[in-house]
Amino acid sequence: MDKIRRKILETGGAGLLAATVPTSMAFAQSAPVKIGMSMPQTGGLGAGGQAALIGLRMWVDDVNAKGGLLGRKVEFIVYDDQSNGANTPGIYTKLLDVDKVDILIAPYATNPTAPIMPLVKERGKLLMGNFSFQVNAKVQHDMWFNNAPWNDAKGWSEGFLEAGKNAGAKSIAIFAADAEFQQNLANGCREIVKNTDWNLVYDQNYPGNNTDFSSIIRSVRAARPEVVFVACYPNEAVAIMRSVNEIGLGSQVQIFGGGMVGLQFTPVMQSLGSLLNGVVNYNSYVPGMKFPGIEDFFKRYTERAIAAKVDPLGFYLPPFNYATGQMIEQAVNATKTFDNKRLADYLRRNEINTIVGPISFDKNGERSKPRMVQAQFRNIKDNDWEQFKNPGKQVVIWPAADKQGDVITPFDRARKAT
Amino acid sequence: MISLDLLFEAVLFGILLGCFYAAVSLGLSVAFGLLDVPYVAHPALLILGSYFTFLLSKTGIDPIICGLLLMPVFYVIGIALYRFYYETFERRSSDTGVRGLAFFFGIAFIIEVCLILVFGVDQRTVSATYIGSSLEIGEYRFPYRMLVAFGIAIFLTTLLTLYFSKTFNGRAIKAVGQDEGALRLMGANPVKIKQLAFGIATAVNALAGAMLIIVGPVEPAMDRIYIGRTFCVVVLAGLGSMSGTLVAGLILGIAESIVMMTLGASWAPAVSFGLLLLMLGIRPQGLFGR
Amino acid sequence: MKYSIYAFIALLGFLGLSLMNVNEYIFFAGFVILQFVVLATAWNILGGYAGYVNFGVPAFIAVGAYTAVVLFKSISAPLVVQIIGGGILAGLLGLTVGLLTLKLRGIFFSIATVAVVFILETVVMNWRYVGGATGLQLTRPQDLWIFDTYTRMLFFVMAVLAIGSVSIARYIQDSFLGRGLRAVRDSEEAAECSGVPTLKIKLIACTISGALMGIAGAPMPMYLSYIEPTATFNLNYSISALGMPIIGGTSHWIGPVIGALLLATIQQVVTVTVSNELNVLVVGVLLVLFVVLAPDGILGLIKKWKQSSK
């Protein structure tokens, strides 16, 4: 039986190869279509950016294997912005005027993306957003589509604050970096806190490049909050967790975390190890959540990632970056054009099926049906990335549709729980 | 307002921080304070020391030992740098001010960019048993990494102060800043003495660099904020005063710690530069300077 | 006068270029190159003529840029007003810094200028109105005058500013002010003794230098449609602004122009083809080489070559 199966696969494979040969000859006839972006491959966001890039390259290879877009090979142009928003305007001007790309994808994350929004709007270009948060709120560009599974701050903090309320908490401390993403998120949380009966006992902003959090953690501890909401980027997340471990927050803290970027990257999770236990934080995907076709994606991704010495699990960004590619592909195939306006129109009106489920957008270019979760880290051991493959290490506590378990409080108990 | 308790803890942390700042400024105190070399590349060499420590510690050696092992290497670098500076600028003594400054500024940038090209802009850290945990005394927690830095700082300052007051070479170094001619009459070669001093200053930088990466993560662009901290300490102390460096460091450390506690961390960078400007405006010779 | 004819021809040349149908990127990169001509010329007025090394170039640029932002955000001021406002405030900063520190020795002045950068940066980072540390997105008004795009217009504006600054530097060089500054550079004590009002002329030079740097910085928010403190206060401006005159030659007004055109063009080519860091490395290495081997810059080398070929 197996021999026959193998024979069929072999001939099938040969047939596929034969089928691709004429297509690659077809490439030579027309100019490639250029898709361009800058991706933070070094700097604070580098760990996430490199993983995301693999997701995108997988899509480029897949679509070229199928014959490209409208018969033209996709040429993917990427630069490194070093997680620095100061570099992106120059890079995107270069992409438009020197490389002459046809379709733009935004850099991963809010802070490198914010500076290019006015530029892209002025030039009337489509921009495929990449896991940024509320970056289009002020500029209101009508050709912006964000692949991240969230919409506004309300959705984000709601679940987190709800868990705190259920544990009987009344007081909250907030601290966030003074940068676009962290402030957008923290302001959203502050908004909710103001309009409900939470008692805000501590609220501080710190400079984005701050490396020593001892004085902040000490001040938070002295304010005796029951919930601590943090909005930070990867480097800060690591320093904060180390500081919390060094100095402690006090036994009254029920829930800690919320908006910490970086705790989703496997290298960071691995280096922090048991320091993560008890933290309740957001995520876009954890094992146990059901998405069609995602298991297959992870298998292929892990192979490439291990070879490239990048985040081997790729839970957080890669599937959604692959989905961005799929959105471009479907829009182009449906409208039969690369005209940015027509593509934007299509994306606005239609729901696209991707490996992270169906995606549709509201009038601001954000997801009309958010699907992010708050999950609690449990039973994490040091120096082991494989442990994260299985469910149970990041237990989803919100929303109800994806819930995997109840949150363990207080924070100190959750840190030691097994 | 903040409680007295919190203020006290801030002061204690400030003392630890301050000694650390004093230690990283010792090299500059010698090179600029005693020898009058416009050594703006000092913080860049500090960061270089941190990165070398990072590399060496990958072999498993404790970071402090790495720093000690690097000291002879940096000593040689220091001698070479001074020799070059002397031959090119001080000897010919035409327009030394601008050119010397521009030279060291250029060196600082070259070091920073080379670090970025080799290591990237990512933050680097080292690990050791004492990094990550703290000493608990009652309600207060003192991170061990700060205590280690504090210990090394005290050690270095004492060592250097003794060296400069007890040994012949040390006293000669102090003298060369004040009166070269007299020193020559005493039989010492001023150029060799200055070379020695510069070598010591750079060697100290190696250990200080190790301390820097123990205390927190390091990235190539950090040399810029440390220009403020080191020059603030040296100017505050007054040129030529070793023990003054420790006091000045303490003042800076406590000031920064209190500002971080009260106004917030976003105002911390301005503390060192603000103190520096203030000192230059009211009393340029520093607290203990001649 | 020969110079004014050359200046006029240059002006017409830039105008013509901005109206030609060439790749947009030329204007994007050209703006930066011309900006460095202004910065190098401005730096040289204090650094080259008088010998006081200003490391705090970004502080003046930022004052110009943020003044422009405030004027734009509050009263929708047109570009000309933004530039003038930026220049005035930066000039005032120059005057203040001068008053505080020009009595001190060379290196203390230089360190003080670095201090000004970080202090102002911290202030701006805590100032929500201009975006704080997060930064501010700006929408450019679409008054393009006779040009096709806003970038072309900014390019021409910067060309005008460049020619203007160079003219000012040339005027200073040949005037009483220039002679006084040279006397200060050669020997401040001797100048004092011969009755030169050294403090006064140093203050004037510092003010003019600062004002010109502010003028160079004022169009930047419009150029990027975005402003944030870390990039605006970046010390990389210092090494370029002092490297270019030293490489070009500090004794004559044409030195900074040569240095800026040469170096900034190399930087732009490197940025487009290789990477951003290499930029700074190029300036750093060339600076050290010239300071050690050819202290009089390219001008000095040309002079030597002319003499040896006689």
Side-chain angles (χ1 to χ4, degrees):
Chain A
M1 254 319 185
D2 281 303
K3 268 212 201 132
I4 301 174
R5 260 240 227 112
R6 225 185 301 148
K7 240 336 204 246
I8 295 176
L9 282 170
E10 274 177 319
T11 26
L16 205 64
L17 194 63
T20 53
V21 168
T23 333
S24 50
M25 290 205 320
F27 279 156
Q29 290 168 4
S30 37
V33 57
K34 297 186 187 165
I35 298 187
M37 69 185 295
S38 92
M39 180 71 95
Q41 297 168 59
T42 55
L45 298 164
Q50 288 183 35
L53 202 51
I54 294 192
L56 276 168
R57 290 201 197 278
M58 279 170 67
W59 171 75
V60 173
D61 290 345
D62 286 353
V63 85
N64 278 340
K66 284 189 274 182
L69 289 176
L70 300 183
R72 294 165 66 180
K73 177 167 175 204
V74 171
E75 185 183 324
F76 187 44
I77 303 175
V78 190
Y79 294 105
D80 179 9
D81 55 46
Q82 302 175 333
S83 311
N84 188 352
N87 293 334
T88 44
I91 292 177
Y92 277 79
T93 308
K94 190 180 6 166
L95 283 169
L96 287 172
D97 292 329
V98 178
D99 298 304
K100 305 241 194 285
V101 307
D102 300 289
I103 300 179
L104 290 173
I105 300 179
Y108 157 54
T110 312
N111 296 357
T113 308
I116 60 168
M117 297 303 293
L119 158 71
V120 167
K121 180 173 177 177
E122 191 182 296
R123 304 280 287 250
K125 291 284 176 193
L126 170 72
L127 187 62
M128 301 300 292
N130 201 343
F131 264 63
S132 48
F133 180 71
Q134 290 295 307
V135 83
N136 193 29
K138 294 182 214 108
V139 174
Q140 297 276 301
H141 184 36
D142 61 356
M143 295 204 270
W144 157 264
F145 299 96
N146 190 2
N147 65 358
W150 51 69
N151 193 311
D152 59 12
K154 197 165 143 312
W156 198 304
S157 335
E158 230 168 32
F160 183 79
L161 291 174
E162 199 181 283
K165 259 240 154 58
N166 290 341
K170 296 198 184 57
S171 55
I172 181 170
I174 299 178
F175 61 95
D178 198 355
E180 183 84 21
F181 164 76
Q182 296 92 317
Q183 284 303 301
N184 285 349
L185 188 56
N187 286 338
C189 186
R190 287 169 182 137
E191 195 63 39
I192 299 181
V193 163
K194 202 164 62 157
N195 296 330
T196 50
D197 54 358
W198 281 96
N199 180 17
L200 184 60
V201 297
Y202 180 86
D203 187 358
Q204 267 294 343
N205 294 330
Y206 58 84
N209 57 2
N210 193 33
T211 52
D212 191 85
F213 286 87
S214 335
S215 58
I216 291 182
I217 298 296
R218 236 178 274 125
S219 307
V220 170
R221 202 178 85 210
R224 309 199 67 74
E226 290 160 302
V227 169
V228 182
F229 183 83
V230 184
C232 67
Y233 258 18
N235 282 339
E236 305 143 42
V238 173
I240 289 172
M241 290 323 299
R242 298 220 164 111
S243 212
V244 166
N245 190 45
E246 260 183 6
I247 300 191
L249 287 168
S251 50
Q252 78 289 339
V253 174
Q254 304 294 323
I255 312 266
F256 178 93
M260 303 176 76
V261 182
L263 301 191
Q264 305 80 9
F265 305 165
T266 313
V268 174
M269 295 198 289
Q270 183 181 0
S271 82
L272 284 175
S274 54
L275 293 183
L276 286 170
N277 280 322
V279 176
V280 173
N281 201 28
Y282 81 96
N283 213 323
S284 60
Y285 173 84
V286 300
M289 287 172 76
K290 303 269 170 278
F291 286 111
I294 209 166
E295 308 287 328
D296 175 68
F297 171 82
F298 282 134
K299 249 189 244 122
R300 290 195 296 146
Y301 168 88
T302 303
E303 253 182 72
R304 286 177 78 140
I306 292 184
K309 300 216 190 70
V310 163
D311 180 339
L313 293 171
F315 288 158
Y316 181 54
L317 296 166
F320 291 85
N321 272 258
Y322 189 89
T324 296
Q326 289 181 304
M327 289 194 276
I328 295 177
E329 189 179 342
Q330 285 186 46
V332 167
N333 286 337
T335 56
K336 300 268 180 282
T337 173
F338 296 109
D339 176 75
N340 282 204
K341 256 207 158 52
R342 308 250 319 263
L343 292 172
D345 209 50
Y346 179 85
L347 288 168
R348 180 83 59 205
R349 296 174 202 275
N350 295 281
E351 190 176 78
I352 324 271
N353 281 319
T354 69
I355 59 165
V356 292
I359 295 184
S360 58
F361 297 101
D362 67 9
K363 62 176 170 57
N364 294 321
E366 307 292 335
R367 296 275 223 103
S368 50
K369 299 197 200 86
R371 192 185 174 180
M372 54 168 280
V373 300
Q374 290 280 347
Q376 187 172 41
F377 287 94
R378 293 199 199 148
N379 304 319
I380 313 287
K381 299 187 192 22
D382 293 330
N383 288 316
D384 174 15
W385 66 265
E386 307 233 8
Q387 66 183 318
F388 295 105
K389 277 190 194 165
N390 307 312
K393 297 296 178 178
Q394 296 184 69
V395 176
V396 178
I397 60 159
W398 180 90
D402 288 296
K403 187 164 171 177
Q404 295 170 357
D406 288 315
V407 65
I408 296 180
T409 59
F411 182 49
D412 273 346
R413 186 162 78 100
R415 289 169 81 186
K416 304 185 188 88
T418 43
Chain B
M1 275 314 316
I2 50 168
S3 65
L4 218 56
D5 222 15
L6 214 52
L7 194 63
F8 184 58
E9 207 173 347
V11 170
L12 286 179
F13 188 75
I15 293 178
L16 295 181
L17 193 63
C19 285
F20 165 66
Y21 285 157
V24 303
S25 313
L26 280 172
L28 187 65
S29 215
V30 174
F32 175 53
L34 288 178
L35 302 180
D36 220 16
V37 175
Y39 194 25
V40 287
H42 170 267
L45 274 147
L46 181 70
I47 307 293
L48 192 66
S50 298
Y51 271 91
F52 279 3
T53 307
F54 166 73
L55 280 178
L56 205 53
S57 74
K58 286 195 147 175
T59 60
I61 309 177
D62 180 271
I64 305 178
I65 312 287
C66 294
L68 289 169
L69 288 175
L70 284 168
M71 283 178 86
V73 176
F74 270 59
Y75 178 76
V76 171
I77 295 179
I79 291 195
L81 251 182
Y82 181 75
R83 202 68 220 215
F84 186 78
Y85 170 77
Y86 175 74
E87 295 295 335
T88 325
F89 302 100
E90 270 187 11
R91 255 246 187 108
R92 302 185 208 161
S93 78
S94 59
D95 215 14
T96 39
V98 179
R99 296 174 58 218
L101 265 175
F103 171 70
F104 279 113
F105 201 53
I107 295 285
F109 268 86
I110 293 177
I111 292 179
E112 186 187 314
V113 176
C114 286
L115 283 176
I116 294 181
L117 288 173
V118 171
F119 293 95
V121 294
D122 301 323
Q123 287 181 343
R124 305 286 172 180
T125 54
V126 290
S127 46
T129 43
Y130 43 83
I131 300 178
S133 44
S134 23
L135 179 67
E136 294 180 47
I137 301 184
E139 267 289 302
Y140 304 119
R141 310 270 200 106
F142 302 105
Y144 277 120
R145 56 189 168 89
M146 296 303 300
L147 291 172
V148 164
F150 175 74
I152 299 180
I154 301 288
F155 165 70
L156 269 180
T157 317
T158 327
L159 197 67
L160 277 180
T161 319
L162 285 175
Y163 178 78
F164 285 129
S165 50
K166 303 285 183 224
T167 68
F168 175 74
N169 277 335
R171 283 201 295 254
I173 293 176
K174 282 213 117 163
V176 81
Q178 291 170 7
D179 191 341
E180 242 183 78
L183 192 68
R184 220 184 286 265
L185 289 174
M186 309 238 314
N189 180 349
V191 180
K192 276 239 152 47
I193 295 289
K194 286 197 199 174
Q195 205 172 274
L196 173 68
F198 211 81
I200 294 177
T202 318
V204 168
N205 244 352
L207 192 57
M211 254 197 296
L212 186 62
I213 197 169
I214 288 174
V215 163
V218 165
E219 49 166 351
M222 271 173 85
D223 62 328
R224 301 180 183 197
I225 181 81
Y226 274 89
I227 293 180
R229 295 187 172 138
T230 52
F231 274 91
C232 171
V233 169
V234 170
V235 167
L236 207 59
L239 303 186
S241 168
M242 277 306 112
S243 44
T245 310
L246 191 58
V247 176
L250 283 172
I251 296 177
L252 176 60
I254 296 175
E256 250 193 45
S257 187
I258 293 182
V259 166
M260 280 204 281
M261 188 71 69
T262 50
L263 294 173
S266 45
W267 286 99
V271 175
S272 57
F273 287 103
L275 268 177
L276 175 62
L277 265 189
L278 201 66
M279 219 46 203
L280 285 176
I282 344 178
R283 197 188 150 92
Q285 67 268 38
L287 294 170
F288 306 98
R290 37 195 161 96
Chain C
M1 294 239 168
K2 259 168 59 177
Y3 172 78
S4 40
I5 297 182
Y6 284 135
F8 190 65
I9 294 179
L11 197 66
L12 284 182
F14 281 115
L15 185 60
L17 182 61
S18 328
L19 297 170
M20 269 167 46
N21 191 7
V22 288
N23 191 324
E24 271 305 301
Y25 201 74
I26 291 183
F27 304 104
F28 188 75
F31 175 90
V32 178
I33 297 176
L34 289 171
Q35 190 183 37
F36 275 115
V37 170
V38 179
L39 290 172
T41 306
W43 185 91
N44 200 42
I45 291 177
L46 192 62
Y49 295 167
Y52 275 80
V53 177
N54 181 2
F55 283 152
V57 177
F60 298 93
I61 296 177
V63 165
Y66 275 97
T67 308
V69 169
V70 170
L71 287 171
F72 178 67
K73 198 171 167 191
S74 57
I75 57 174
S76 294
L79 189 61
V80 176
V81 174
Q82 294 174 28
I83 294 177
I84 295 178
I88 293 179
L89 280 180
L92 276 174
L93 178 68
L95 184 63
T96 316
V97 172
L99 281 171
L100 274 176
T101 59
L102 278 173
K103 296 170 277 175
L104 306 169
R105 276 195 298 139
I107 182 169
F108 287 123
F109 170 74
S110 306
I111 298 299
T113 53
V114 178
V116 173
V117 173
F118 280 85
I119 293 175
L120 283 182
E121 184 178 0
T122 309
V123 168
V124 166
M125 282 205 182
N126 287 293
W127 192 9
R128 280 259 156 266
Y129 184 70
V130 293
T134 308
L136 204 61
Q137 293 158 328
L138 301 156
T139 322
R140 316 207 275 208
Q142 285 307 304
D143 34 305
L144 306 173
W145 196 26
I146 55 173
F147 302 96
D148 281 335
T149 67
Y150 205 86
T151 310
R152 284 169 187 250
M153 183 189 72
L154 283 179
F155 173 78
F156 179 66
V157 166
M158 195 49 90
V160 170
L161 294 177
I163 295 177
S165 328
V166 172
S167 310
I168 293 178
R170 178 174 169 275
Y171 176 75
I172 291 179
Q173 181 179 321
D174 297 332
S175 71
F176 164 75
L177 188 60
R179 286 197 294 275
L181 291 171
R182 277 194 291 278
V184 165
R185 183 188 62 198
D186 292 335
S187 168
E188 190 152 351
E189 288 170 350
E192 276 279 355
C193 293
S194 10
V196 179
T198 55
L199 185 62
K200 201 155 126 202
I201 56 174
K202 281 193 293 188
L203 282 178
I204 296 178
C206 205
T207 310
I208 296 180
S209 178
L212 287 177
M213 291 185 197
I215 281 176
M220 258 172 50
M222 290 290 110
Y223 173 67
L224 292 171
S225 325
Y226 188 76
I227 188 151
E228 59 91 43
T230 320
T232 319
F233 282 95
N234 198 335
L235 279 181
N236 287 357
Y237 281 116
S238 301
I239 188 114
S240 295
L242 79 88
M244 290 168 187
I246 289 185
I247 292 172
T250 52
S251 51
H252 190 274
W253 59 264
I254 198 144
V257 177
I258 295 177
L261 287 176
L262 190 63
L263 221 55
T265 312
I266 295 178
Q267 283 187 326
Q268 286 304 307
V269 171
V270 164
T271 309
V272 175
T273 52
V274 188
S275 81
N276 222 343
E277 271 71 56
L278 235 41
N279 249 345
V280 183
L281 190 62
V282 164
V283 182
V285 169
L286 281 176
L287 172 65
V288 171
L289 280 176
F290 270 82
V291 150
V292 170
L293 299 170
D296 294 320
I298 294 180
L299 283 183
L301 289 177
I302 294 179
K303 218 188 285 183
K304 266 196 216 148
W305 173 71
K306 270 201 194 152
Q307 278 176 349
S308 64
S309 63
K310 266 196 201 144

